[in-house]
Amino acid sequence: MVVDKFLTHVGIIMDGNGRWARSHGLQRIEGHKAAEKAIHDAVEYCGEMGVEYLTLYAFSTENWKRPKAEVIFIMTLLKSFIKRNIDDLDRNRVRIRASGRIDDLPSGPLSELRNAMTRTGSNKGLNLILALSYGGRAEITDAMRTIAGDIETGRIQTSDITEESISSRMYLPDVPDPDIIIRTSGEQRLSNFLLWESAYSELYFTDVLWPDFRREHLEEAFEDYRLRRRRFGDIDSGR
Ligand code: IPE
Ligand code: IPE
Ligand code: MG
């Protein structure tokens, strides 16, 4: 197997579970259940490709607006997903992390998540980051509050506010910005995902619905990424 280090951080907006369910004549929740196989493929393939960080957008700050029964189902599924997969993930040296206002999660899934993070905390393989109760604007807002607090207590001055000092107050400051953000299901928007960190991310959209997304689709996305020229505002020195 060729381990290719060309991608460090992959972000995925896992969208289309509800439409997948409808297209199969099923309830929306069946779509969320069917998403697990796609997550397995993504974790496995990213691990094989030497990706260091995989961020999966699993639940947004706006998703709390959904019908209560669906929210409860997703939260219950989160807990059972971790329970079912923690042994395998740990064996594969995956480090489970979370990004978002996770204290807003119900206590059951939250404690399962915290246990998983503690158990896998020193693993050196893929960082699997679950974006839960995550919103880009919430993250920036929380960083601003931290900065205001640091100014109030005299730790920093207004002139110390820089892009770096803001970045260092994001939820996971050690994680590099995503190289690519993939969104399934044909929608072409970020829906509040990694707003600060995606400034120079390559965006890749596919019509495939998340429960149908398999390693060959990820391969296609990575191949597409490989052909892109990232300039970061500079001139293109390659061609
Ligand atoms: C993504 O699928 C999962 C979450 C947002 C939790 P959706 O539930 O948004 O599926 P669609 O977009 O309605 O098809
Ligand atoms: C984005 O999907 C959030 C996640 C995939 C977790 P949504 O389905 O919530 O986004 P919108 O509402 O179509 O923008
Ligand atoms: Mg959706």
Side-chain angles (χ1 to χ4, degrees):
M1 185 202 317
V2 185
V3 174
D4 195 332
K5 282 276 178 200
F6 76 114
L7 271 167
T8 303
H9 183 181
V10 174
I12 305 184
I13 303 173
M14 308 185 289
D15 197 16
N17 297 352
R19 278 163 283 167
W20 182 92
R22 197 174 51 210
S23 74
H24 288 78
L26 301 167
Q27 302 267 333
R28 289 182 58 83
I29 58 170
E30 297 299 326
H32 299 313
K33 276 195 210 164
E36 189 162 330
K37 180 76 184 72
I39 295 176
H40 283 163
D41 267 31
V43 169
E44 194 178 83
Y45 187 64
C46 285
E48 286 172 19
M49 294 302 284
V51 170
E52 290 174 49
Y53 305 89
L54 170 63
T55 300
L56 298 178
Y57 200 11
F59 196 85
S60 73
T61 45
E62 288 72 34
N63 288 151
W64 293 110
K65 289 189 280 202
R66 293 190 178 198
K68 199 163 173 221
E70 181 170 341
V71 171
I72 291 172
F73 184 85
I74 292 171
M75 291 300 149
T76 310
L77 192 63
L78 168 66
K79 182 175 169 183
S80 64
F81 170 83
I82 298 172
K83 259 187 192 296
R84 260 194 309 282
N85 292 285
I86 183 69
D87 288 344
D88 271 354
L89 292 168
D90 193 22
R91 194 171 327 110
N92 291 318
R93 298 165 52 245
V94 172
R95 178 180 173 193
I96 298 173
R97 305 178 68 176
S99 185
R101 290 182 172 166
I102 60 165
D103 290 334
D104 293 346
L105 300 181
S107 59
L110 182 58
S111 67
E112 201 67 44
L113 178 66
R114 287 203 193 284
N115 288 342
M117 290 196 288
T118 306
R119 176 169 161 187
T120 62
S122 56
N123 285 352
K124 296 285 180 279
L126 177 72
N127 281 256
L128 174 59
I129 302 165
L130 303 175
L132 289 162
S133 192
Y134 175 87
R137 287 186 174 182
E139 183 179 30
I140 294 168
T141 304
D142 290 348
M144 292 308 135
R145 286 195 185 147
T146 310
I147 287 178
D150 287 346
I151 292 175
E152 256 170 29
T153 55
R155 284 187 58 198
I156 61 166
Q157 298 183 328
T158 304
S159 56
D160 294 325
I161 301 176
T162 58
E163 292 187 13
E164 289 71 28
S165 69
I166 294 173
S167 289
S168 74
R169 286 166 178 82
M170 293 288 151
Y171 294 140
L172 301 174
D174 65 301
V175 176
D177 290 343
D179 299 298
I180 183 172
I181 292 177
I182 297 166
R183 184 171 188 150
T184 57
S185 88
E187 308 297 348
Q188 303 198 358
R189 54 178 172 263
L190 287 174
S191 299
N192 210 5
F193 187 50
L194 300 177
L195 296 184
W196 176 266
E197 299 84 347
S198 64
Y200 270 98
S201 302
E202 296 295 325
L203 306 180
Y204 180 87
F205 301 105
T206 168
D207 288 339
V208 177
L209 302 172
W210 178 249
D212 289 329
F213 197 80
R214 290 292 174 274
R215 57 186 293 145
E216 61 265 28
H217 301 114
L218 205 47
E219 258 172 58
E220 272 172 40
F222 287 8
E223 273 318 305
D224 193 281
Y225 173 84
R226 205 190 282 277
L227 299 173
R228 299 193 187 189
R229 314 270 331 160
R230 300 182 75 188
R231 286 182 287 275
F232 301 98
D234 204 345
I235 58 161
D236 197 338
S237 50
R239 290 181 196 158

